[in-house]
Amino acid sequence: MDINLMIEITPLLVQAAWVTVDISARALFFGFFIASVLVTLRTSRIPPVRWLSRAYVSVVRGTPYFVQLLLVFYGGPAIGLRLDPFTCGVVVGAFNIGAYMSEAIRGAIESVDSGQNEASRSLGFGRLKTLQYIILPQAAGLMIRSVGVLAIILVKNSSLVSIISVVELTYQAQRLIGSTYKPLEVFMLSALMYIVIIYAVMGIVEFLYRRATRHAFQ
């Protein structure tokens, strides 16, 4: 094993790893807002709105992220949608993870006993205040854990943006292998960096979970 080579290429892989973190964080951030909108639409009293939001989630969950990425990047210009590779990765990642996240959030909300909602409404709370003060605090723990799992999946899926030439961790690893002919060393370092990123995400999720549930049993 070429230790000197591993030391030499580490800065390049670290720089690419930051791109992986950046694109994943942006996609997760915007995906959360997309998910919130979808959850709101799914609970709408207007049937066509519910059907459209349900159809969107079904289409996104029923097609591979890889296909969605290629469709937007290479097919987008045909309808006037031209995105640079990084932006395309963020946009597709956000709309993809938003669909999955909406189901996680909806499932967490529906896990709260329906009697809580009825009791709150009988006390004069409106729909939004019931959601804000009664439902969401109880659903927060499950919601955070579910979103955390999706965030880890998003980090792993970010490697697919290498197909549209985003210089993230996987793409940089492939370039280094082409110039060094040392796949073992390069992929070992890449795998280690993915592990570090994923464990960092797990640590953040665990911290948020403890903060959200610290009063649950008091």
Side-chain angles (χ1 to χ4, degrees), residues 61-213:
R61 296 178 70 185
T63 55
Y65 172 70
F66 183 75
V67 172
Q68 296 166 15
L69 195 63
L70 294 179
L71 180 63
V72 173
F73 187 72
Y74 292 109
I79 58 172
L81 180 64
R82 292 177 173 83
L83 302 174
D84 63 83
F86 184 89
T87 303
C88 181
V90 172
V91 170
V92 176
F95 278 95
N96 179 275
I97 205 67
Y100 286 92
M101 205 182 300
S102 69
E103 291 298 281
I105 293 173
R106 189 172 65 89
I109 291 173
E110 291 180 352
S111 70
V112 178
D113 191 293
S114 59
Q116 300 280 337
N117 182 62
E118 295 169 3
S120 175
R121 300 299 287 273
S122 68
L123 291 173
F125 282 81
R127 187 181 180 188
L128 289 179
K129 287 190 177 296
T130 297
L131 184 65
Q132 180 181 356
Y133 295 111
I134 306 298
I135 305 300
L136 287 180
Q138 296 182 69
L142 181 59
M143 192 183 303
I144 289 170
R145 283 279 173 85
S146 299
V147 171
V149 171
L150 292 173
I152 291 172
I153 293 172
L154 179 62
V155 171
K156 294 179 180 180
N157 282 346
S158 69
S159 64
L160 294 174
V161 300
S162 62
I163 196 66
I164 57 173
S165 302
V166 177
V167 187
E168 45 72 63
L169 189 52
T170 298
Y171 187 84
Q172 184 67 282
Q174 291 171 338
R175 292 205 306 188
L176 289 170
I177 289 170
S179 60
T180 63
Y181 302 101
K182 299 279 188 177
L184 177 62
E185 290 84 346
V186 175
F187 277 133
M188 280 186 63
L189 274 176
S190 301
L192 178 61
M193 291 180 188
Y194 274 115
I195 290 171
V196 170
I197 294 170
I198 288 170
Y199 269 86
V201 172
M202 291 171 61
I204 294 170
V205 170
E206 189 62 26
F207 171 77
L208 294 175
Y209 175 78
R210 290 178 179 177
R211 288 293 300 270
T213 58

Side-chain angles (χ1 to χ4, degrees), residues 9-90:
I9 66 175
T10 293
L12 294 173
L13 289 175
V14 168
Q15 185 178 10
W18 278 114
V19 177
T20 293
V21 172
D22 190 15
I23 199 169
S24 300
R26 290 171 189 257
L28 186 66
F29 176 80
F30 292 113
F32 179 78
F33 287 100
I34 292 170
S36 300
V37 172
L38 287 171
V39 171
T40 302
L41 296 179
R42 287 290 294 271
T43 59
S44 171
R45 292 189 175 93
I46 305 173
V49 172
R50 294 199 306 270
W51 298 337
L52 285 173
S53 60
R54 189 180 299 117
Y56 169 77
V57 172
S58 297
V59 169
V60 171
R61 296 178 70 185
T63 55
Y65 172 70
F66 183 75
V67 172
Q68 296 166 15
L69 195 63
L70 294 179
L71 180 63
V72 173
F73 187 72
Y74 292 109
I79 58 172
L81 180 64
R82 292 177 173 83
L83 302 174
D84 63 83
F86 184 89
T87 303
C88 181
V90 172

